[in-house]
Amino acid sequence: MWPPSTAIQESSNRSADPEEQEEAEATVVATLAWLWSVLAEPVLDRLGLGPRPDGDTAADPWPRLWWSPTGLLNFLPLHAAGTFETGASALDRVVSSYTPTLRMLGESRRPRVPAATEPRLLVVALPRTPGMTALDGVSREVMTLAKRFGKLTPLIGPNATTENILRVLPRHPWVHIGCHALTNLAQPSESHLVAHDGRVSIRDLAGVRTEQGELAFLAACDTVRGAPGIPDEAIHLGAAFQLAGYRHVIGTLWEAADDVAARIVEDVYKAVPRDSPIASGIPIALHTAVCALRQRYPRVPSLWSGYAHFGP
């Protein structure tokens, strides 16, 4: 049984026609089931990654798997493949990550240069952007980060200009971005984050380099979505941050619901050490947050299946 239309509206704050929305969710459900039967299940079975036994997960750590898809598979959530008919899912077998290439995965595993001083988390947040829809969940994200880590470098509202973002970004190993993002399907290098006074494009990020980059959490829409015309080319904002030197990137394959993004952010950072929001715990923290949201909205997979981790 599909959830009532009001449940979908409440969960995502969307304004689409309820019947169209239910049809869209049915398409996502069918796609995840197809991915499971033709790709994910055969791969996991071949690797010996069967269903996990119930019990203490600390004594039985989650196995890790890195997907490096080609072609149009780059646009699909392989990590969330599964079927509601049997309850089988990749989310219940492995913690998945993605890498555009094996070389990039190797680069992300290189040791980083320790920061000379105690680093701060850079927070780029635009709850209100001129000419665009308000993002009330972004204010909630900022409060979550301030309570969790205390010391922040905030670029919020009018201070989140293109110049300020590009100027301070290389000095921060950890960055959290909550704003609008737009994908340019015709010219993917022009896909961009929407700053207060303009845009921060992939082309702009090509000039950013950091030797200390650990985590870039891109809590915005379409941040790891490429262009259909060149599906094998990883030209998206997530890859741009990895090339800039951030070894861990969290992004979205499609539109992210504002309230859901705030919940994901809370759950991910809740699992991150206060003194070091980095490294090995990030993929597992995202996995746990996605599974919690799946349990809350099991038949609305568009809300949770689009979040993806890139990196080691």
Side-chain angles (χ1 to χ4, degrees), residues 79-239:
H79 64 284
T83 171
F84 291 107
E85 292 183 1
T86 64
S89 172
L91 287 169
D92 297 317
R93 295 197 185 187
V94 294
V95 172
S96 293
S97 297
Y98 292 86
T99 182
T101 65
L102 291 178
R103 178 179 179 181
M104 190 172 289
L105 179 60
E107 285 293 314
S108 69
R109 289 176 168 174
R110 286 192 304 109
R112 293 298 191 260
V113 177
T117 58
E118 182 181 0
R120 294 172 179 249
L121 177 68
L122 171 62
V123 179
V124 178
L126 286 127
R128 301 288 186 275
T129 305
M132 304 196 76
T133 306
L135 299 174
D136 294 329
V138 169
S139 297
R140 181 173 152 191
E141 293 173 20
V142 174
M143 293 177 60
T144 294
L145 297 170
K147 290 178 180 178
R148 186 63 178 163
F149 301 114
K151 296 181 179 180
L152 306 175
T153 298
L155 291 179
I156 300 174
N159 291 323
T161 63
T162 299
E163 180 182 357
N164 285 344
I165 294 170
L166 292 173
R167 176 173 53 83
V168 304
L169 187 60
R171 302 202 298 265
H172 290 79
W174 316 316
V175 56
H176 179 91
I177 295 179
C179 65
H180 285 286
L182 298 175
T183 298
N184 189 323
L185 298 181
Q187 294 181 297
S189 63
E190 295 302 325
S191 298
H192 60 274
L193 302 169
V194 181
H196 180 77
D197 63 341
R199 58 182 62 184
V200 178
S201 70
I202 291 175
R203 193 184 302 274
D204 296 325
L205 291 168
V208 175
R209 289 291 182 274
T210 174
E211 293 297 322
Q212 302 171 353
E214 287 289 351
L215 170 64
F217 195 142
L218 310 181
C221 299
D222 300 334
T223 48
V224 293
R225 177 189 178 191
I230 46 174
D232 285 322
E233 298 292 332
I235 304 179
H236 51 65
L237 288 162

